[in-house]
Each structure stands twice: as structure tokens, then as C-alpha cells.
């Protein structure tokens, strides 16, 4: 992976999110480790938004390795009441001929691009009264799926987000608990893979702009750290503490790189200035996760 980042040619401009997916798919065939897929996909992207696409796809693949990767995947969890387990009103129902899902997801990243959706649905309340969740795999072309694109975000507007409604839609139940095995760990897995993809993209920028070797060294060190975290359990407090450290160091590096963007071509620089908030959109959730991890190991944190 490290030689790949330092010596490979990353590829030319991308004209659409579909082209970005196709390049990600082609790059992914060369690697088995999902963090490597994210890094290489980010390196092959011509902008941060498309690097995010690679990181997101690699994260879903890491969390659900049994799923085929021939079409884009999207996790559909958020509803009108949010993404907390208690807010999930979409239902999964088992009948004699299989499972079906019904309900509306209000914010599915890459929802209109996806060929398959991983839908977090309720299968009813448990004995403790809590909402029991399952992850359901739905083909985007199945009967009863209706996808409506949401307005583009101010940052990374190339990445579509959609409202997706399911009406008695055929589905396949994935193994495990929808919350403990999918929804809860996804933010950690996504952070590892998306930051890895961003680091890969920044190596591309560094090479094209002629940033000095020490910059590339630090970016590769970030990749090395994330590869290690990607191989560990995402529910480990130690992983959350270590990831907090990696994110802090990455943010520090981004700050130090600010003057170097003057050497970058105008279109890349302007997109970076527009899309930079993408990397901090989950800041509050990350801070809560880190504080919880420190408490779990007997420290108050900050």
C-alpha cells in the first residue's frame, strides 16, 4: 500500500459520482484489506467527496463482509426521529414467503446511487420494552422501493443523499443484532475508513502539488495507524481512545498544511475549502465516544 501511494499514477478527472464508483470498484479489486481499499480509493479520487465515497463503501464492506461488492451499498438507518434505536419505526416482518420491510428512511447517504441498501428495521419490542433491530438487505430495484434525492449539501455536493420509502418490500435478514452488530459500530468503522480515504487523497494532492517529503511521511504514518485500528474490534474502548488520538493528529496536520494549499491548482483548492467540513461533521459524536471510552477504562477523560 505505501509503495502504491508513493509511486502509482492516481488517474484522471472524474465526471460524475457514477464514474467515481466505477473507479472505486476497479481499485478495490486490487486489495483485500478494507482500509487499503479506502486508502487506494481515496488516492484514485480527484476530490474529497469521491474519496469519501470510497471510504464509505469500504466501511460497509468491513462491517458486512458477506455482502457482494459489485454494486454500491448504502446504510439506511436515519428516520424522522433520528438514528437512535428508539427512533426506528421502519418494520421488518417475517412471513411464510420471506421477510419484507416497510417504512421511510429520511437520510440515506448514496441512497440514489446504491444498488443494495442495508436497512435498519424494527422487529418489535423485546421483553425489556426496548426496540429490537435487524439489518435487512434490500435490492434497490425491488418492488416497493421509492427513492427521492434530497437537496445537495453545501460540502461534497457530488455525494447524493436520499429519502427512501419501503412499502412491503422483499428483504433478506442479515445475521446478528441490527444495533449491536451494525448500527452501533458503524460510526467507528466509518471514521477509520473515511479518514483513511482522505489521507490517501491528500497523498495525491501532496504529490501533484510538490509538497515536501515530510508531509507525505506524516500522511503515510496516519495510514499505518488506521490500518492497525481497522484490524481491531470497533467496540473496544482502547480502539476508540487510539482513534481519538489519530483524529487529533490528523486535524493538527491539516492545520499545518493550510499555507501549502497556495501551491495547489485552483479547482482542487476551492473544492477543498468547500468540502473541508465533511471531515468534522461528526465531531460531537466523536467527542462523546471518546469520553465514554475513557470512562470505560477508569479515566474521566476531558
Amino acid at each position: 500500500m505505501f509503495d502504491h501511494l508513493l509511486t502509482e499514477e492516481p488517474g484522471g478527472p472524474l465526471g460524475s459520482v457514477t464514474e467515481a464508483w466505477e473507479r472505486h470498484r476497479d481499485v478495490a479489486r486490487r486489495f483485500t484489506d478494507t482500509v487499503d481499499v479506502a486508502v487506494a480509493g481515496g488516492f484514485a479520487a480527484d476530490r474529497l467527496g469521491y474519496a469519501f465515497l470510497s471510504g464509505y463503501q469500504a466501511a460497509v464492506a468491513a462491517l458486512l463482509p458477506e455482502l457482494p461488492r459489485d454494486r454500491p451499498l448504502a446504510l439506511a438507518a436515519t428516520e424522522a426521529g433520528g438514528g437512535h434505536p428508539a427512533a426506528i419505526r421502519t418494520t421488518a416482518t417475517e412471513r411464510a414467503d420471506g421477510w419484507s420491510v416497510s417504512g421511510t428512511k429520511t437520510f440515506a447517504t448514496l441512497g440514489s446511487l446504491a444498488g443494495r441498501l442495508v436497512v435498519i428495521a424494527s422487529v418489535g419490542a423485546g421483553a425489556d420494552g426496548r426496540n429490537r433491530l435487524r439489518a435487512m438487505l434490500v435490492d434497490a430495484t425491488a418492488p416497493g422501493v421509492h427513492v427521492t434525492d434530497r437537496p445537495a449539501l453545501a460540502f461534497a455536493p457530488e455525494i447524493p443523499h436520499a429519502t427512501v420509502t419501503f412499502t412491503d418490500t422483499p428483504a433478506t435478514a442479515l445475521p446478528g443484532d441490527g444495533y449491536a452488530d451494525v448500527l452501533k459500530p458503524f460510526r467507528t468503522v466509518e471514521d477509520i475508513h473515511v479518514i483513511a480515504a482522505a489521507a490517501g487523497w491528500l497523498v495525491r494532492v501532496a504529490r501533484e502539488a510538490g509538497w515536501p517529503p515530510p508531509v507525505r511521511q506524516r500522511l503515510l504514518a496516519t495510514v499505518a495507524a488506521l490500518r492497525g485500528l481497522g484490524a481491531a474490534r470497533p467496540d473496544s474502548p482502547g480502539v476508540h481512545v487510539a482513534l481519538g488520538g489519530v483524529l487529533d493528529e490528523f486535524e493538527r496536520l491539516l492545520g499545518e498544511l493550510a499555507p501549502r494549499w497556495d501551491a495547489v491548482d485552483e479547482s482542487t483548492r476551492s473544492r477543498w475549502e468547500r468540502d473541508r467540513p465533511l471531515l468534522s461533521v461528526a465531531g460531537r459524536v466523536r467527542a462523546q465516544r471518546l469520553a465514554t471510552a475513557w470512562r470505560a477504562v477508569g479515566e474521566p477523560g476531558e
Side-chain angles (χ1 to χ4, degrees):
M1 168 50 61
F2 301 110
D3 289 345
H4 177 92
L5 291 174
L6 294 174
T7 62
E8 288 278 333
E9 291 300 319
L14 292 162
S16 68
V17 69
T18 300
E19 288 184 18
W21 151 250
E22 291 169 349
R23 183 173 294 178
H24 164 81
R25 179 196 59 201
D26 294 343
V27 168
R29 290 172 177 152
R30 300 177 58 184
F31 300 92
T32 55
D33 180 82
T34 57
V35 175
D36 285 352
V37 169
V39 175
F43 178 70
D46 70 343
R47 64 198 70 187
L48 182 61
Y50 293 154
F52 168 84
L53 180 150
S54 281
Y56 182 94
Q57 291 299 305
V60 178
L63 196 62
L64 298 164
E66 69 273 22
L67 299 186
R69 306 184 195 181
D70 58 322
R71 289 190 281 164
L73 296 163
L75 179 65
T78 304
E79 300 194 7
H84 189 275
I88 303 300
R89 295 290 179 264
T90 296
T91 58
T93 304
E94 187 175 20
R95 300 192 177 98
D97 58 347
W99 288 85
S100 67
V101 296
S102 294
T104 298
K105 299 298 183 179
T106 57
F107 195 91
T109 297
L110 296 173
S112 58
L113 179 71
R116 298 182 182 90
L117 299 112
V118 178
V119 182
I120 304 300
S122 171
V123 292
D128 58 1
R130 294 184 177 181
N131 206 9
R132 295 183 300 128
L133 304 181
R134 288 292 298 268
M136 312 297 296
L137 184 64
V138 173
D139 191 300
T141 63
V145 178
H146 183 72
V147 180
T148 304
D149 268 323
R150 297 176 61 91
L153 298 181
F155 53 84
E158 303 91 344
I159 300 301
H161 306 274
T163 297
V164 188
T165 299
F166 306 92
T167 305
D168 202 22
T169 301
T172 300
L174 298 176
D177 182 89
Y179 176 66
D181 298 323
V182 180
L183 189 57
K184 184 177 181 180
F186 183 69
R187 174 61 71 184
T188 299
V189 175
E190 183 185 29
D191 276 351
I192 290 169
H193 288 79
V194 167
I195 298 302
W201 176 71
L202 284 168
V203 172
R204 172 184 179 140
V205 173
R207 285 179 54 187
E208 292 178 342
W211 291 353
V215 171
R216 280 168 269 175
Q217 288 174 199
R218 293 178 68 184
L219 289 168
L220 264 62
T222 300
V223 169
L226 291 167
R227 290 175 97 203
L229 291 174
R233 288 178 47 183
D235 60 349
S236 160
V239 165
H240 294 161
V241 170
L243 179 57
V246 173
L247 292 172
D248 284 349
E249 289 300 318
F250 188 63
E251 188 65 32
R252 185 174 296 111
L253 174 58
L254 294 182
E256 293 173 11
L257 288 177
R260 299 197 181 279
W261 284 95
D262 290 341
V264 177
D265 68 272
E266 183 178 356
S267 62
T268 300
R269 182 174 66 251
S270 62
R271 281 197 298 258
W272 164 250
E273 292 169 352
R274 179 196 68 190
D275 298 342
R276 172 73 174 82
L278 174 65
L279 298 179
S280 55
V281 70
R284 182 178 61 84
V285 174
R286 290 169 179 167
Q288 291 173 345
R289 179 180 64 202
L290 181 58
T292 299
W294 276 119
R295 288 194 297 270
V297 297
E299 296 286 345
E302 292 186 3

